[in-house]
Amino acid sequence: MYEVYIHVPFCLRRCGYCDFNTYTASDLGGGASRDHYAAMAIREMRLVKQWQIDHGITEPAASTVFFGGGTPTVLPPSSLGAMLRAVDELWGLAPGAEVTTEANPDTVDHDSIAALRDLGFNRISFGMQSAVPRVLKTLDRTHTPANVTQGVKAAAQIGLRSSVDLIYGTPGEDMGDWRYSVQTALDLGVDHISAYALTLEPTTAMGRAVAHGTMPGPDDDDEAAKYALADAMFTEAGLDWYEISNWARPGYESRHNLGYWRNVDWAGIGPGAHSHYNGVGRGQDVRSWDIAHPKRWAQAIDRRDVPWQGSERIDAFEHAEELIMLGVRLREGLDCTRVERAVARIPGHKGAKTIEGERGPHADPIDDLVAEGLIEVHGTRIIPTLRGRLLNDALIERLYEAYGL
């Protein structure tokens, strides 16, 4: 399976909580402008394709393409379509490929969504965040709840699948606000909803306000209660969790998101985008990341360099850790047989054993996690409970210990 992620680093306005690699200027110089962005991204795709050829990497046709940001829809549909055509020309698009763009609800309308459909897009992810105007104001969002409704309705009429993103834990958001936002998202009739806890970095405007005491910070207990409420409401409405922060009706899961958590190959295009390749060179996985600033990214492309800021090889120890970390985020669970095989490949690892029976060699610590209500065990798969999802970081550490990592 192969995926392509295209990062569009432009926004009309930078939200106070956002620490993504985004810029509000329309032209950052050196070819890094909204007008020239599609052409530069296509040039990077060609460089990446040549790098793959030079390293003996043969990828299948892309099964998913995801445009993220930033706000991809600040670019005209023609620019997004040009980048999608380049993916098809260089790697091909698999039959039925999932092609998604993120969208700020106030940057699209019926005509632009129709244009995206005609260009090959079949899914759109709206940044809803909240249905409460004062919460949106705290988050510095420019759209209104009505924008979201109009966008989702237009997408449905045109034939695109829609998803909405929510954020919980905004300062000043009470439980009634959150319940209203969740219900409003459900009332839209979408088949996929993501819900993320607000996290603050000290370099953001909101992070600085919290540090200076002019705004209250997120509360862990409050966020846990809001997560549990959302999970219950989504489940009752027929949306099942399939990844800690994502719920969908059966068959409507984001295949692109699942690919990340399953550790497939993907190419990241655009400033700051990450890529991942399995088994390059000496058999180790490779992770790379692009230069973050658009101007320096464009300058590297002008030199005909793959615009990587850096890369690293993932050794056997790190690979085993990643299998655990990624696996326990998913409803399909952690495959213990894969972990045992990965642990067995760690040079000099004393605890590496072959799976014995259904439960594997670490029955006692696994039994402890079951008894504490953190996991369920189905055959050779470990699946986090609601409590395990809420305490996921602690669960991962306990599993590292169980496997001697």
Side-chain angles (χ1 to χ4, degrees):
M1 184 174 175
Y2 178 60
E3 303 185 335
V4 178
Y5 170 77
I6 300 172
H7 184 72
V8 178
F10 302 108
C11 280
L12 297 177
R13 176 179 177 178
R14 188 173 183 86
C15 299
Y17 64 92
C18 179
D19 71 333
F20 294 158
N21 190 40
T22 62
Y23 304 83
T24 56
S26 62
D27 191 339
L28 295 163
S33 69
R34 293 183 198 172
D35 290 342
H36 296 108
Y37 187 75
M40 296 302 294
I42 291 167
R43 289 174 63 187
E44 181 184 0
M45 291 181 209
R46 294 184 181 129
L47 292 167
V48 167
K49 175 66 174 182
Q50 187 60 52
W51 180 89
Q52 292 174 348
I53 292 170
D54 293 344
H55 288 79
I57 299 172
T58 302
E59 298 290 4
S63 57
T64 75
V65 183
F66 193 102
F67 289 75
T71 307
T73 46
V74 300
L75 300 183
S78 58
S79 292
L80 301 179
M83 289 184 277
L84 180 59
R85 283 196 305 274
V87 172
D88 194 13
E89 291 166 4
L90 289 166
W91 292 288
L93 291 174
E98 178 188 271
V99 182
T100 305
T101 184
E102 293 181 334
N104 188 322
D106 58 5
T107 62
V108 292
D109 56 24
H110 187 280
D111 290 344
S112 64
I113 294 173
L116 289 170
R117 177 205 58 193
D118 294 342
L119 291 164
F121 288 79
N122 51 34
R123 190 171 179 275
I124 187 164
S125 178
F126 292 99
M128 176 179 174
Q129 319 311 1
S130 175
V132 179
R134 62 180 176 78
V135 175
L136 291 173
K137 183 177 181 180
T138 300
L139 291 170
D140 290 328
R141 299 294 292 184
T142 59
H143 72 271
T144 67
N147 294 144
V148 181
T149 301
Q150 291 164 3
V152 170
K153 285 184 176 178
Q157 292 168 357
I158 291 163
L160 269 68
R161 290 165 55 176
S162 292
S163 172
V164 296
D165 291 356
L166 296 172
I167 289 178
Y168 55 92
T170 300
E173 177 193 63
D174 61 31
M175 193 62 75
D177 295 331
W178 176 238
R179 183 186 294 275
Y180 178 74
S181 292
V182 171
Q183 188 59 56
T184 301
L186 289 169
D187 290 344
L188 291 170
V190 296
D191 296 306
H192 186 285
I193 300 177
S194 302
Y196 302 103
L198 178 67
T199 56
L200 292 182
E201 296 297 330
T203 54
T204 63
M206 188 177 286
R208 290 191 294 270
V210 170
H212 293 152
T214 58
M215 180 180 289
D219 178 81
D220 289 345
D221 291 339
D222 173 71
E223 290 188 338
K226 287 174 178 173
Y227 181 94
L229 174 65
D231 183 66
M233 292 177 69
F234 294 150
T235 301
E236 184 178 357
L239 279 70
D240 299 325
W241 81 276
Y242 70 92
E243 189 276 330
I244 283 180
S245 299
N246 291 277
W247 291 257
R249 299 191 195 283
Y252 288 88
E253 299 84 359
S254 167
R255 284 185 273 149
H256 192 84
N257 285 349
L258 280 172
Y260 284 152
W261 303 120
R262 291 169 177 166
N263 228 19
V264 304
D265 280 14
W266 72 82
I269 304 298
H274 285 228
S275 301
H276 176 268
Y277 298 97
N278 286 289
V280 179
R282 298 190 301 274
Q284 294 177 330
D285 295 0
V286 170
R287 182 189 296 115
S288 66
W289 49 96
D290 274 21
I291 295 167
H293 194 280
K295 182 176 180 178
R296 293 197 299 111
W297 168 83
Q299 289 170 338
I301 293 171
D302 281 338
R303 296 192 302 268
R304 299 185 180 180
D305 294 333
V306 178
W308 288 358
Q309 179 70 47
S311 65
E312 61 184 354
R313 291 186 178 271
I314 308 302
D315 63 24
F317 186 92
E318 292 167 323
H319 177 69
E321 286 190 325
E322 286 195 354
L323 283 179
I324 292 172
M325 177 184 68
L326 298 173
V328 294
R329 291 188 66 93
L330 294 172
R331 187 184 183 93
E332 66 190 40
L334 173 66
D335 183 349
C336 297
T337 59
R338 287 189 67 195
V339 176
E340 286 300 321
R341 287 195 296 267
V343 169
R345 288 194 289 269
I346 299 173
H349 191 277
K350 304 298 184 182
K353 297 180 181 179
T354 303
I355 276 284
E356 300 170 3
E358 289 190 341
R359 294 295 301 279
H362 301 292
D364 289 343
I366 299 303
D367 284 343
D368 290 343
L369 293 173
V370 172
E372 293 172 36
L374 292 168
I375 63 170
E376 297 176 350
V377 176
H378 297 271
T380 58
R381 287 190 174 271
I382 291 172
I383 299 172
T385 62
L386 174 60
R387 176 175 165 79
R389 283 182 271 157
L390 289 169
L391 299 173
N392 198 250
D393 289 345
L395 172 59
I396 290 168
E397 290 297 326
R398 295 280 295 279
L399 287 169
Y400 285 169
E401 293 174 7
Y403 284 95
L405 300 175

